[in-house]
Amino acid sequence: QGYDEPRGRQYYDALERGARAIPGVRAAGLAYMLPLGAGAWEDRAYRADAAGSGGDEGLAVDINVVSPGWLSSVGLPLLSGRNFSAHDRGGGEGVAIVNEVFARSMWGRADALGLRFRLGQSEELLEVVGVTRSARYRSLLELPRPVVLRPFGQVYQAPMTLHVRTDGDPAALVPAIRRL
């Protein structure tokens, strides 16, 4: 829609807050990639201690950018650590939430809290602040893949999608959400 980043962030913040205020909404969150959308933002992840080693091909991962409310909106539980918060903003320490498959593939264990890695050619080290259960993200037919979630507060993406969880009939909320 031609919004610059500050105006886009204002829009998405108001959208998410407005959705949470609708009666019957249990959770609302934003994500860059749609679950089961068959597409993915792919890259490679490298252990912090392997940075600079020429033979390290890294781990192929799917990446998504999400707001703090997204995990609850899609019913994806944290197994350990914390969710993203308003404190996970640009200029702060780079953080990520990873799934179990990522943690086991990268470090050989599910307890990955506090461990660091980098994505692609970036030199920024990301600290694991949470680990989620592994799930199918691209298709119901796939095996769970390594996934990295980045906070929307640190990685701005203009095309975000609102996800809403309700206690009642989701179709009944569509008019109120469209008005937002």
Side-chain angles (χ1 to χ4, degrees):
Q1 300 299 318
Y3 288 10
D4 61 6
E5 182 176 335
R7 188 163 178 218
R9 285 191 180 281
Q10 285 178 329
Y11 168 79
Y12 285 124
D13 182 54
L15 176 67
E16 194 172 7
R17 247 184 307 114
R20 282 194 304 267
I22 296 171
V25 170
R26 205 165 77 197
L30 301 165
Y32 177 61
M33 301 299 299
L34 291 171
L36 304 178
W41 173 10
E42 300 175 8
D43 209 333
R44 293 196 118 14
Y46 302 88
R47 291 169 46 144
D49 60 1
S53 64
D56 185 5
E57 292 183 18
L59 175 66
V61 298
D62 289 350
I63 304 167
N64 202 352
V65 175
V66 303
S67 71
W70 185 77
L71 290 174
S72 296
S73 72
V74 297
L76 189 60
L78 273 172
L79 299 176
S80 62
R82 67 171 178 87
N83 197 348
F84 296 134
S85 73
H87 300 290
D88 298 318
R89 295 272 178 211
E93 288 288 318
V95 296
I97 294 173
V98 301
N99 68 354
E100 289 175 292
V101 171
F102 179 96
R104 290 190 191 286
S105 299
M106 181 65 74
W107 294 290
R109 61 186 192 175
D111 177 23
L113 294 180
L115 298 178
R116 295 179 180 267
F117 67 98
R118 63 183 176 83
L119 289 172
Q121 300 301 311
S122 174
E123 296 300 318
E124 178 186 24
L125 290 178
L126 304 175
E127 180 180 345
V128 176
V129 295
V131 178
T132 68
R133 182 183 50 141
S134 293
R136 293 177 168 101
Y137 295 94
R138 292 189 194 189
S139 159
L140 291 176
L141 302 176
E142 74 175 354
L143 293 175
R145 301 170 46 85
V147 172
V148 174
L149 302 176
R150 294 295 321 279
F152 182 59
Q154 290 183 347
V155 182
Y156 179 74
Q157 294 293 319
M160 298 292 282
T161 300
L162 178 67
H163 296 75
V164 176
R165 179 172 288 272
T166 178
D167 291 322
D169 176 16
L173 298 179
V174 170
I177 291 171
R178 283 192 176 140
R179 282 192 296 275
L180 290 176

